[in-house]
Structure formats: C-alpha cells, structure tokens
Amino acid sequence: ARDAWRSLVTVHTGYLGQTSDGRTTTLGRIGSDYTSTMLARGLGASGVTIWTDVSGVMTADPDIVRDSYPLERLSYMEALELASFGARMFHPRTMIPLIDSGIPLRIRNTFTPEAPGTKVDATGNEDEDSPTSVTSLENLALIDIQVRRLGTQLRVAERVQRTLDRSG
C-alpha cells in the first residue's frame, strides 16, 4: 500500500484530530509537526522537512546571543533534550515517530530556502567537539525539601504537591 503513495503529493492540514468519542479537537502545540511525522512514519517517507522562520536549530537563542548560528546536524536524543529544556522548535511527541522509524528531519527557513538548515537523525554530528545548543527555561523556581524521618517522605511530597497545585 505504501508504494501506491510514492507518485502522489498529498496535502494535510495537520493540527486537527479526533477524540475517542468522535469530536474534532486540536493536537495542541506543534500539532502540525506531529501530524507530519506520523504521516511520514505511516507512509515510509524518506524524510520530513519542517519550514519555519529560522535557518535551522541555532547554537543559542538568536534574540539573546547575537552571534549564534544554525547547526548542521543534531541527533534525535539531542533534539529531545533541547525540547525538554526549553527549545520551542521541537516537541518530544513530534520526535517519537521519527525515532521509531529512523526517518531524518530537516529544519529549514521559509524565507531563505537555499539555506541547508539542520538535519536531525539517529547519528547527529559525528564531530564530538562540535557545539550543540544552549537553551534555558525562564520563570522557574527550585524547591529543595529535606525530610529527616524516612517514613514521612511520601506524605510530605503529596502535601507539597497539593500546596503547589492550589497556589497555581
């Protein structure tokens, strides 16, 4: 069935999905990218290209670090790590179909289509001395709780979580 799709160009809106009871819903942040990677896996695509407003994954946020530049390659695991620590370009869910299938992803700039962008695949950059990227999470607080009696740890954690939930 996959071979029947090889000569066709399909257009999908992405972003939209369906709940288990049949209601139309959105897939949330990066829903279109997630749709594209799921379709790529299902169709056995040779690659996925995501067109965006930057020329690939940058070494740092260009709004903060003026001399940042696009990386040539990243591994899936590096991309997942960046997503976990604040990079808005990736969503971990988007990467799962690519990791499962080994399909590479390329991030390219819509406004400079001649730029090669960043390739994300299982291998990544083979030069271990090459930089990856710096990212940060804003508006965070670190809470360190120490409990002296071991039997009360679980209850303390639950109380702390409830208090944090109530306070928003």
Side-chain angles (χ1 to χ4, degrees), residues 95-152:
M95 301 303 294
I96 293 168
L98 300 175
I99 294 168
D100 288 347
S101 61
I103 295 172
L105 169 69
R106 189 164 294 273
I107 305 292
R108 298 188 65 190
N109 190 329
T110 306
F111 304 108
T112 54
E114 69 280 356
T118 301
K119 182 178 183 180
V120 181
D121 61 11
T123 307
N125 191 335
E126 295 174 350
D127 179 2
E128 292 180 10
D129 294 329
S130 179
T132 299
S133 185
V134 176
T135 187
S136 64
L137 296 170
E138 305 295 327
N139 301 318
L140 293 178
L142 176 63
I143 300 174
D144 183 19
I145 299 172
Q146 296 181 6
V147 178
R148 295 178 196 263
R149 293 187 322 199
L150 294 177
T152 62

Side-chain angles (χ1 to χ4, degrees), residues 31-52:
S32 297
D33 296 350
Y34 184 40
T35 301
S36 68
T37 60
M38 287 190 303
L39 284 169
R41 180 179 62 189
L43 296 171
S46 60
V48 173
T49 301
I50 294 178
W51 294 91
T52 186

Side-chain angles (χ1 to χ4, degrees), residues 22 27 42 88 108 113:
L27 295 175
R88 293 177 304 273
R108 298 188 65 190

Side-chain angles (χ1 to χ4, degrees), residues 69-80:
Y69 58 90
L71 297 165
E72 186 178 322
R73 289 184 73 174
L74 279 176
S75 70
Y76 296 131
M77 294 306 127
E78 289 169 321
L80 280 173

